[in-house]
Amino acid sequence: MQIDLPVVWAAITGLGVFIYVMLDGFDLGIGLLFAFFEAKEDRDVMMNTIAPMWDGSETFLVLGGAALYGAFPVVYSTLLPANYLPLILMVVGLIFRGAAFELRAKAKAKRTRPAWDLAFITGSALAALCQGIVLGSLLQGTQVTDGRFSSGSFDWFSLFSVFCGFGVWVTYAALGCGWLILKTEGELQRKMRVLMRPLACALLGMIGLISLWTVLGLPAISHRWFNTGNLGWFLPVPVLVLACVWGILHAVRRRHEATPFVLTLAVSFLGYSGLLISIWPHLVPPSLTIWDAASSHASQSFLLVGTTVALPVILIYNGMQYRVFRGKVRRGDGGYH
């Protein structure tokens, strides 16, 4: 029996993108939370919680991009031209925050450190916003003619796509807050618990508004959810989101440390699964399916051999990072100060 390689590669691409969102999401979220904590000591601890892992997390962004390029080349000739500006700005944001991450630690003059802190905040906010805009652009659809992008350079810009950008801000901030509850202690942890309550409620509100906007404003997605006879399979998604948000609030009240972060990851996964349900089997809605966009069988087979070797190595490496650097981060610990 021949393996349906486009489905396999869609799964690998989707896995790479989700792991990136999961790992780099709380990383970017800490950059967003920097704006609410001005004390140098608090910012040092926040930075040190992600210092050993932040650059490794972006490996999965490269994996997802490489998978698209090799396995679905038509996607590159459509989604990239459709979203050039937000994608370029996203890369600029990631460069700024990466440079700020390193140079902040080496800034000897007190007057320069706030500038690098601002660069870290701005880079994180820009990267997260642009990721949400691209997500909104993907949901609202891309005009494709003969396998090529055939619309305007600013079609990505809409009220819906910008609102999706704000939704990603809230999601990443909640992930970052959950991570800091897990990794810190004392007064900083207490502040994070206080902040987690409104963030969890805002996250639920954003998911609800974007979901409602999607099904009311995008007829193709509304049809998929309500007119295909599969609503019974889809209903657990919003129900589980509600349960997870309730669990986050309950865990914060009970002073649990790991549960808020785990449940915020679960909410992110459920939101991601809702996206996949909404666009499947399209990679470029509303016209290009995974089979339309796939490269040749020989190309996908060749790439799969390399990925079968490389992906477990990447997963093991990242897993070892989190195992080695597990435990609390405290004031005065060595790191990126």
Side-chain angles (χ1 to χ4, degrees), residues 177-220:
C177 192
W179 173 255
L180 290 169
I181 291 173
L182 174 64
K183 295 291 288 183
T184 63
E185 59 185 12
E187 182 63 15
L188 182 57
Q189 186 188 62
R190 186 195 67 79
K191 291 176 182 176
M192 290 300 164
R193 284 200 177 102
V194 171
L195 187 57
M196 192 63 179
R197 295 188 185 99
L199 280 175
C201 295
L203 179 59
L204 178 62
M206 280 290 185
I207 291 175
L209 287 172
I210 291 173
S211 300
L212 188 62
W213 197 332
T214 300
V215 297
L216 293 180
L218 304 175

Side-chain angles (χ1 to χ4, degrees), residues 144-327:
V144 177
T145 304
D146 296 327
R148 296 183 178 182
F149 174 63
S150 58
S151 191
S153 300
F154 289 90
D155 280 11
W156 53 267
F157 183 78
S158 68
L159 189 59
F160 175 72
S161 65
V162 173
F163 193 78
C164 286
F166 296 154
V168 169
W169 270 357
V170 173
T171 303
Y172 285 177
L175 283 169
C177 192
W179 173 255
L180 290 169
I181 291 173
L182 174 64
K183 295 291 288 183
T184 63
E185 59 185 12
E187 182 63 15
L188 182 57
Q189 186 188 62
R190 186 195 67 79
K191 291 176 182 176
M192 290 300 164
R193 284 200 177 102
V194 171
L195 187 57
M196 192 63 179
R197 295 188 185 99
L199 280 175
C201 295
L203 179 59
L204 178 62
M206 280 290 185
I207 291 175
L209 287 172
I210 291 173
S211 300
L212 188 62
W213 197 332
T214 300
V215 297
L216 293 180
L218 304 175
I221 294 177
S222 176
H223 174 79
R224 178 162 184 76
W225 276 82
F226 296 108
N227 299 327
T228 59
N230 294 321
L231 184 60
W233 293 98
F234 299 161
L235 277 178
V237 174
V239 173
L240 287 172
V241 168
L242 285 169
C244 286
V245 172
W246 178 86
I248 292 169
L249 297 174
H250 178 73
V252 169
R253 283 196 301 272
R254 292 296 184 94
R255 299 182 178 275
H256 295 173
E257 294 192 334
T259 307
F261 181 58
V262 172
L263 290 178
T264 309
L265 287 175
V267 172
S268 301
F269 172 75
L270 290 167
Y272 189 68
S273 68
L275 166 66
L276 296 182
I277 289 169
S278 297
I279 67 173
W280 178 264
H282 295 91
L283 272 179
V284 184
S287 55
L288 283 179
T289 67
I290 60 173
W291 298 280
D292 297 327
S295 59
S296 68
H297 187 273
S299 296
Q300 291 195 337
S301 298
F302 177 76
L303 289 168
L304 189 59
V305 174
T307 304
T308 303
V309 175
L311 184 56
V313 173
I314 295 170
L315 291 171
I316 291 170
Y317 168 75
N318 277 270
M320 288 180 64
Q321 280 187 310
Y322 286 92
R323 177 172 175 77
V324 169
F325 295 102
R326 67 189 182 277

Side-chain angles (χ1 to χ4, degrees), residues 40 44 99-117 336-337:
K40 174 186 176 297
D44 286 344
F101 200 105
E102 299 291 341
L103 295 173
R104 176 186 183 274
K106 297 174 174 59
K108 299 191 181 298
K110 290 184 179 180
R111 66 180 181 277
T112 59
R113 183 182 286 258
W116 292 119
D117 284 348
Y336 279 63
H337 284 192

